[in-house]
Amino acid sequence: MNVSRLLSLLALLVLTAGTAFGQAEPGLPAVVASPSEGGTTEYSVTLQLLLMMTALTLLPSALIMLTPFTRIIIILAILRQGIGLAQTPNNQILIGLALFITVFVMAPVFSEVNSNALSPYLDQEITFQEALAAGREPVRLFMQDQVREADVELFSRMRGPLPVSADTPIPMSVLIPAYITSELKTAFQIGFLLLLPFLVIDLVVASVLMSMGMVMLSPLVISLPFKLMLFVMVDGWTLILGTLASSFLLGGPP
């Protein structure tokens, strides 16, 4: 998949998320629109391109709301803080690493959206509205696999009564905030577990220094090499990144 097709795919995902917060009747006064079969409205190509270009400006928000990026970047930041390295790896490296892990995890979803929505729409096999509906479904299923039921119930109560049925999908206006909340919870839970071994090393080093009367020496200076050695010996980067990716691919919140 080339860069232009990937950008178009991400823009389609943004538009599918935006339709969740208000299904307005199509038709704007300054827009050329013509009725089509089935009672739907077909927008002009100019408007569709305008919507796609506008959606590109919302890609950062879509990256945070609809993908694993939030969980991954928070865990990597907590890991860096636990080791005691304030700026190593720097923010650019962490963001780039989180971005490519996100693309790796979301590759099946992107492929499904591309085959079911983007490619048929570019080949003029389906309408723009049908492409939005088809592109929204794989993203909804991905988030629904990761979201916690308690968070869905919380936002469902806040939104108001909803039709309850086993066949009724969770509305995107409820699913998206519930998914973000679940990702934050999961990220902090995993971050807590990552900090425990580094905390033990800090406590041991601090106790040894206190017993030797070296109270003026910072424990962080002594504990840093031991924490780096522990992280390298257990092959920390492979272990953490592999666990993060598999947690999404296997499905379900931890």
Side-chain angles (χ1 to χ4, degrees), residues 2-20:
N2 55 33
V3 177
S4 60
R5 182 170 287 270
L6 179 60
L7 290 177
S8 300
L9 179 61
L10 293 176
L12 182 62
L13 293 178
V14 174
L15 290 177
T16 59
T19 57

Side-chain angles (χ1 to χ4, degrees), residues 64-147:
I64 295 173
M65 293 188 301
L66 309 178
T67 68
F69 182 83
T70 299
R71 182 194 301 187
I72 296 172
I73 192 62
I74 290 177
I75 292 174
L76 293 180
I78 293 177
L79 173 64
R80 182 178 65 180
Q81 188 70 24
I83 295 177
L85 301 172
Q87 297 296 330
T88 305
N90 58 25
N91 293 332
Q92 289 81 359
I93 294 178
L94 290 186
I95 293 175
L97 183 59
L99 179 61
F100 280 100
I101 295 297
T102 299
V103 172
F104 173 77
V105 172
M106 294 292 292
V109 179
F110 288 159
S111 177
E112 189 173 353
V113 173
N114 178 65
S115 59
N116 296 341
L118 184 60
S119 294
Y121 172 71
L122 295 178
D123 295 336
Q124 298 182 354
E125 298 176 358
I126 59 176
T127 64
F128 187 65
Q129 289 81 6
E130 292 173 341
L132 289 179
R136 179 170 61 242
E137 187 63 18
V139 181
R140 185 189 66 80
L141 292 176
F142 171 81
M143 292 191 293
Q144 188 169 317
D145 288 339
Q146 303 296 327
V147 75

Side-chain angles (χ1 to χ4, degrees), residues 145-214:
D145 288 339
Q146 303 296 327
V147 75
R148 300 171 186 265
E149 294 183 2
D151 296 323
V152 175
E153 294 176 357
L154 170 65
F155 286 97
S156 297
R157 290 195 304 267
M158 295 172 61
R159 184 173 184 243
L162 295 173
V164 179
S165 175
D167 299 331
T168 303
I170 303 174
M172 293 290 284
S173 57
V174 173
L175 184 58
I176 291 177
Y179 172 76
I180 299 173
T181 305
S182 297
E183 288 296 280
L184 291 175
K185 289 181 180 179
T186 302
F188 278 95
Q189 288 175 353
I190 298 176
F192 170 75
L193 296 177
L194 286 177
L195 288 179
L196 286 181
F198 301 123
L199 178 62
V200 172
I201 293 177
D202 286 333
L203 290 176
V204 171
V205 171
S207 299
V208 172
L209 292 179
M210 288 289 293
S211 64
M212 296 176 61
M214 304 174 64

Side-chain angles (χ1 to χ4, degrees), residues 6-55:
L6 179 60
L7 290 177
S8 300
L9 179 61
L10 293 176
L12 182 62
L13 293 178
V14 174
L15 290 177
T16 59
T19 57
F21 295 95
Q23 298 289 343
E25 291 296 327
L28 298 175
V31 170
V32 177
S34 58
S36 59
E37 297 181 359
T40 60
T41 302
E42 186 71 20
Y43 294 117
S44 64
V45 177
T46 304
L47 176 61
Q48 295 174 15
L49 291 177
L50 178 62
L51 291 176
M52 295 288 285
M53 295 302 296
T54 304

